[in-house]
Amino acid sequence: MSDAEDEMQYHVELEPGDVADSVLLPGNPERVDKVTPLWDDHEEVAHHREYRTATGSYDGAPISVTSTGIGSPSAAIAVEELARVGADTFIRVGSCGAIQPEMDVGDLVITRGAVRQEGTSKEYVREDYPAVADEEVVSALIAAAERLGHDYHVGLTMSADSFYAGQGREGFEGFEAAGSETLVEDLKEANVLNIEMETAAICTLANVYGLRAGAVCSVFANRTTGEFMTEGESVAAETASLAVKLLAKMDEVKEEAGADRWHAGLSLD
């Protein structure tokens, strides 16, 4: 029996050599078309089910994008199969609902850790295992947002499995899940910034496997102020693409310095 890493992957339909080391992970396959125009060049290499992949370069740095569909189960499949064909860095690029009043629609949220309210990561590791973003990815995303002049927030994200009941919204015919009436307020009081559906699983799997991962999401709605607007997808994609370029530079600097990790004492200039 051949090694799984040498085979065409079942869901994403990718083989080794199809993707760069760093892969952006939007949910909607249509968002691939919002990402790739920002690059120097690209080629679509696969499209199967919700998984659509393109590979190219951004400012000379190799980069790929794979859509994951909605939710952590399909996002985890993407991470699993992309890792098997050689990817080692994952950046979720998505949308989210903010829950802190000072956050505006159109702002970016850069995740440094996630509340694991989704169930996928629990099938990999114990529930008290932290879902933390890689510090190099977080640093690269912050540097990218600063260089591009985008408004951003850095903090904690909650990932849910349900868009409705799991995020404190009413279900069909006004159904309310137990605890839903206080969910958003409880998270707000705990200084959680935003709610979405994939980041916790992506970060958990990356940590379990010794890979790098993080997330940058555009605020489409503020659950506290009631603002809503579907804008900012390209802003998150631009930030994540530049972050990949900066991560490539970090890796070069680390190698030159003989360091295992990039840190603030190492320049990116």
Side-chain angles (χ1 to χ4, degrees):
M1 183 176 178
S2 61
D3 190 350
E5 279 76 2
D6 295 329
E7 299 175 350
M8 173 76 72
Q9 295 303 303
Y10 180 72
H11 297 91
V12 297
E13 290 194 344
L14 295 167
E15 298 177 301
D18 284 340
V19 297
D21 291 345
S22 296
V23 185
L24 308 189
L25 301 176
N28 188 345
E30 295 179 0
R31 285 187 180 154
V32 171
D33 292 328
K34 301 287 182 71
V35 174
T36 52
L38 302 167
W39 299 354
D40 306 332
D41 55 74
H42 73 279
E43 177 184 1
E44 185 166 313
V45 293
H47 191 177
H48 183 231
R49 302 188 184 190
E50 62 264 52
Y51 304 106
R52 183 182 177 196
T53 300
T55 294
S57 63
Y58 177 87
D59 195 16
I63 189 170
S64 293
V65 57
T66 297
S67 57
T68 66
I70 297 176
S72 289
S74 60
I77 289 172
V79 171
E80 284 275 6
E81 297 189 2
L82 286 164
R84 293 177 187 189
V85 298
D88 61 20
T89 301
F90 304 92
I91 303 179
R92 164 154 160 71
V93 180
S95 59
C96 66
I99 56 177
Q100 297 297 336
E102 70 275 11
M103 300 171 68
D104 294 326
V105 169
D107 286 358
L108 296 177
V109 179
I110 296 169
T111 299
R112 58 181 173 83
V115 180
R116 293 169 56 202
Q117 191 163 305
E118 42 72 45
T120 301
S121 65
K122 296 178 179 65
E123 299 190 352
Y124 281 82
V125 69
R126 50 191 289 168
E127 293 187 19
D128 54 2
Y129 185 93
V132 293
D134 181 87
E135 66 269 21
E136 291 181 347
V137 176
V138 173
S139 295
L141 286 167
I142 292 171
E146 287 283 352
R147 292 188 182 192
L148 295 167
H150 298 320
D151 292 327
Y152 67 93
H153 309 266
V154 182
L156 302 177
T157 293
M158 188 273 269
S159 298
D161 268 341
S162 162
F163 182 81
Y164 293 99
Q167 297 188 35
R169 296 184 175 95
E170 287 188 356
F172 177 60
E173 294 186 339
F175 171 80
E176 293 186 4
S180 63
E181 68 279 0
T182 62
L183 175 65
V184 171
E185 188 61 30
D186 289 346
L187 291 168
K188 176 184 168 186
E189 290 298 317
N191 205 28
V192 173
L193 298 184
N194 63 320
I195 300 174
E196 50 81 81
M197 299 180 67
E198 292 85 16
T199 297
I202 292 169
C203 288
T204 299
L205 266 66
N207 279 296
V208 167
Y209 292 144
L211 307 171
R212 296 191 295 198
V216 56
C217 291
S218 297
V219 174
F220 274 15
N222 189 305
R223 300 286 300 277
T224 301
T225 65
E227 292 181 274
F228 178 80
M229 179 169 50
T230 56
E231 293 186 1
E233 294 177 34
S234 61
V235 173
E238 181 185 32
T239 303
S241 296
L242 178 53
V244 167
K245 170 65 176 181
L246 295 176
L247 284 165
K249 180 62 176 177
M250 285 179 181
D251 292 341
E252 292 176 7
V253 170
K254 285 187 297 184
E255 185 174 356
E256 292 171 359
D260 292 330
R261 299 289 297 177
W262 185 86
H263 54 81
L266 299 175
S267 174
L268 283 177
D269 297 327

